Amino acid sequence: IQILAPTPYKIKVEKEKLSDMVATIIAENGLCLRKGPGTEYEIIAVVSKDKTVTVLDKNTDSEWLYVKADTETGYMNRAYLSL
């Protein structure tokens, strides 16, 4: 029997240039930057309304974006961002 370590989650990404895309937080109370693409993942930081983040990648359904906010990277829900 071979015991395998659990693999980290993976998301499929669409191939398009996102490195220059900037998004603005539109949520009144700011938006959580999370460790993974879902509300079940730990919050890294909360970014204030009207702040901008750099979009680095997105999942296939585009619901969650992988972003850079200041020096931190993580996931944000696209519904609360203005692209």
Side-chain angles (χ1 to χ4, degrees):
I1 297 175
Q2 182 180 9
I3 299 174
L4 301 174
T7 56
Y9 62 88
K10 294 181 180 179
I11 60 171
K12 293 181 181 179
V13 294
E14 296 175 4
K15 302 294 182 200
E16 61 180 74
K17 186 176 179 186
L18 297 173
S19 60
D20 296 328
M21 188 179 291
V22 175
T24 303
I25 310 299
I26 58 173
E28 285 298 321
N29 296 320
L31 187 57
C32 295
L33 180 68
R34 295 183 177 272
K35 287 191 174 188
T39 57
E40 67 274 17
Y41 291 94
E42 183 180 341
I43 296 171
I44 299 168
V46 177
V47 182
S48 302
K49 182 181 180 188
D50 298 325
K51 296 288 184 183
T52 59
V53 295
T54 302
V55 179
L56 304 174
D57 213 339
K58 65 180 180 176
N59 64 342
T60 303
D61 66 6
S62 301
E63 183 180 354
W64 290 87
L65 301 179
Y66 184 64
V67 302
K68 182 173 183 180
D70 293 325
T71 60
E72 299 286 343
T73 56
Y75 292 84
M76 288 186 158
N77 190 305
R78 184 179 186 153
Y80 303 99
L81 294 166
S82 175
L83 298 173

